[in-house]
Amino acid sequence: MNSKDIIRNLLQENIVLATGCTEPVAVALCVAKAKELLEELPAKVELFLSKNIIKNAMGVGIPGTGMIGLPIAISLGVVCGDSKKGLDVLSDVAEHVEKAKQWLENNSIDIKQTTTPEKLYIECRIYGKHNTATAIIAYNHLNFIHLQKNNDILYRLEQEDDGVESKNEVELHISAKDVYQYAIEAPLVEISWVMDTATVNAKASEIGMQGDYGLQLGKILYNDEDNSLRKRVIAKTCAASDARMEGAPAPVYSNSGSGNQGITCTIPVYEFGKELGCSVEEINRALVLSNLMNIYLKQHIGKLSALCGIVNASIGVACGFVYLQGGDFTHISYVIKNMINTITGMVCDGAKPSCALKISTGLNAAFDCSTIAIRGIVVNETDGLSEDSLERSIGSLGRIGRYGMDATDELTLEIMTNKIYCNEKTHS
């Protein structure tokens, strides 16, 4: 397979419509599949989840429920889940919420952290009166690797020892320059569908602006006295995250398994291009570049990491900003290096309403780094993670995200799962 075919497939496989945060949604999807295999009403659901799945599902709103966390997502998967919907499995659930609450009250859910080293792992064992069933998702949010009813294994995807993640995400034999060239040279008819991702995600932004969702960051920024282009672009992006993280039933196009990454890769580039008066084709190609660069960086970092996905998504946005201002690949390489030396190290502490604040931070960095990159200014190769080689700089970012922050991941989850909530104010 040549580089163009690889890149085209990456684009199509990693941009997926999803309703709700993809981690609890993927859990609901796994539960729905196991329930379908069971072919009877389950009385107990047992889940073995990787720490990254647990972390990203603890504090996020579940669409159409007014509730947060895994239990309601699991019970919806039981009472109305349809695995054929994929990551849209929690769309149109409002009429089933009361039934899901009743099931939750009368039946058993047991959630445990798995010992598997895989960062994206969901194993659902579901028990009925007469049968049991098991479904396992691993490596990406839609990838079923094991299906079983009672003692009969219906499907099992055999993996090599190094696993799907390392095989598919690192050994792609493409470069950032290949990604750039595809974005600016691919036939427009082949990539025109990417424009739809921005228009769909923009609707989530409109919902965020209309309601009191999350921290209301988008709405507050938009109505601030400083109504600059930068502020408007960031506000519209944050509003979509406000709505999504609070559980507004608004589908968005996700990128690399993350709705917030999908929102971040699309809305700022779309709005910035419109503000600059760029052509539809220019905006379309900038969207392809932003989304693809995010996907390419995630191949190095891994699907789930202690490194916040807004880091790579914001780098994709910065590339889109540079392209829309007439920059070439030299400027693109500058802005990537600038960004790597700016926001690498932002910790993922789960999906929750305050993710909008991280998006704002990443986008402010994207504006700053693209502003100097388009003027030919780049961080010195002696600075921090930057090297003369762009690919080695990207590789360093990937190593930090994939391996270097593992201890941070463990400690973050420990802190999150041992928090003490109280109504009294504490004084130091």
Side-chain angles (χ1 to χ4, degrees):
M1 187 180 295
N2 61 40
S3 61
K4 290 183 180 178
D5 290 335
I6 291 172
I7 293 169
R8 184 187 307 111
N9 289 344
L10 282 173
L11 190 65
Q12 294 171 345
E13 292 169 1
N14 284 279
I15 298 180
V16 178
L17 192 68
T19 300
C21 177
T22 48
E23 276 69 55
V25 167
V27 172
L29 173 62
C30 197
V31 171
K33 188 67 174 180
K35 175 206 66 176
E36 291 162 4
L37 297 175
L38 189 69
E39 296 182 304
E40 63 175 295
L41 187 66
K44 178 182 178 180
V45 175
E46 191 174 26
L47 285 154
F48 297 85
L49 307 175
S50 58
K51 63 179 179 291
N52 299 79
I53 294 292
I54 295 171
K55 181 177 69 175
N56 281 343
M58 286 178 60
V60 69
I62 306 303
T65 68
M67 301 171 70
I68 66 170
L70 281 172
I72 188 64
I74 292 165
S75 57
L76 284 168
V78 169
V79 303
C80 65
D82 180 356
S83 67
K84 293 190 293 295
K85 291 183 177 181
L87 293 183
D88 218 20
V89 69
L90 292 184
S91 62
D92 304 319
V93 299
E95 62 186 89
H96 302 285
V97 173
E98 289 306 315
K99 185 178 179 182
K101 289 180 180 178
Q102 290 175 8
W103 186 92
L104 193 59
E105 184 176 341
N106 297 323
N107 296 280
S108 172
I109 294 176
D110 189 9
I111 301 173
K112 302 174 182 177
Q113 183 178 331
T114 182
T115 57
T116 177
E118 173 54 43
K119 293 184 178 182
L120 198 166
Y121 184 89
I122 304 165
E123 179 176 343
C124 175
R125 301 175 188 174
I126 198 164
Y127 302 87
K129 186 175 181 179
H130 304 289
N131 300 290
T132 64
T134 300
I136 301 175
I137 290 174
Y139 312 115
N140 74 60
H141 297 78
L142 291 166
N143 187 46
F144 284 98
I145 66 167
H146 182 95
L147 301 174
Q148 180 173 339
K149 182 176 181 180
N150 298 322
N151 294 321
D152 297 326
I153 296 177
L154 307 176
Y155 173 76
R156 183 168 181 81
L157 180 63
E158 298 294 339
Q159 307 296 349
E160 298 177 9
D161 291 340
D162 60 351
V164 166
E165 185 179 35
S166 61
K167 181 177 179 181
N168 286 351
E169 292 191 351
V170 177
E171 299 176 11
L172 289 172
H173 306 296
I174 59 173
S175 67
K177 189 168 187 179
D178 293 329
V179 167
Y180 167 77
Q181 288 179 328
Y182 179 85
I184 66 170
E185 295 174 0
L188 196 57
V189 66
E190 187 175 301
I191 58 173
S192 60
W193 64 273
V194 179
M195 182 65 85
D196 295 336
T197 67
T199 55
V200 169
N201 291 356
K203 292 178 182 177
S205 175
E206 293 171 6
I207 292 172
M209 288 290 188
Q210 293 164 3
D212 294 336
Y213 293 103
L215 301 179
Q216 304 176 52
L217 181 62
K219 181 193 293 188
I220 291 170
L221 290 178
Y222 195 78
N223 293 318
D224 190 61
E225 290 182 4
D226 173 16
N227 195 26
S228 63
L229 182 153
R230 175 190 291 223
K231 187 66 72 68
R232 292 195 301 273
V233 168
I234 293 174
K236 289 182 178 181
T237 310
C238 291
S241 180
D242 286 332
R244 182 173 175 274
M245 292 291 94
E246 187 70 14
V252 301
Y253 274 99
S254 62
N255 185 308
S256 302
S258 165
N260 275 341
Q261 288 177 53
I263 287 168
T264 303
C265 286
T266 54
I267 294 176
V269 175
Y270 179 66
E271 295 294 338
F272 188 64
K274 288 196 302 180
E275 292 269 5
L276 293 185
C278 297
S279 69
V280 172
E281 179 175 347
E282 288 170 331
I283 295 173
N284 198 155
R285 293 192 182 278
L287 285 167
V288 172
L289 178 60
S290 175
N291 277 283
L292 267 178
M293 199 61 75
N294 180 70
I295 294 166
Y296 178 63
L297 294 171
K298 286 298 285 182
Q299 311 313 301
H300 293 78
I301 297 168
K303 275 288 192 296
L304 293 177
S305 168
L307 189 66
C308 179
I310 298 308
V311 171
N312 36 277
S314 299
I315 295 174
V317 171
C319 293
F321 284 174
V322 166
Y323 171 78
L324 288 171
Q325 295 175 86
D328 58 19
F329 183 69
T330 297
H331 300 103
I332 295 292
S333 66
Y334 288 176
V335 81
I336 294 173
K337 291 181 183 180
N338 291 345
M339 288 290 287
I340 288 174
N341 267 42
T342 304
I343 56 174
T344 296
M346 183 187 288
V347 174
C348 172
D349 53 347
K352 70 285 182 207
S354 60
C355 286
L357 288 166
K358 297 194 176 190
I359 291 175
S360 176
T361 298
L363 293 183
N364 271 296
F367 272 105
D368 291 342
C369 290
S370 61
T371 297
I372 63 172
I374 201 69
R375 289 165 172 78
I377 299 173
V378 62
V379 295
N380 294 324
E381 60 189 67
T382 55
D383 285 9
L385 302 177
S386 184
E387 298 193 37
D388 182 57
S389 164
L390 174 61
E391 292 303 322
R392 284 179 60 85
S393 300
I394 291 172
S396 295
L397 170 68
R399 287 167 59 202
I400 287 174
R402 187 182 286 268
Y403 308 116
M405 297 178 71
D406 280 348
T408 301
D409 219 10
E410 295 285 353
L411 181 57
T412 300
L413 183 62
E414 179 186 331
I415 291 169
M416 291 175 64
T417 54
N418 288 282
K419 288 192 287 188
I420 299 173
Y421 297 91
C422 65
N423 294 321
E424 296 178 357
K425 292 183 180 180
T426 59
H427 301 274
S428 56

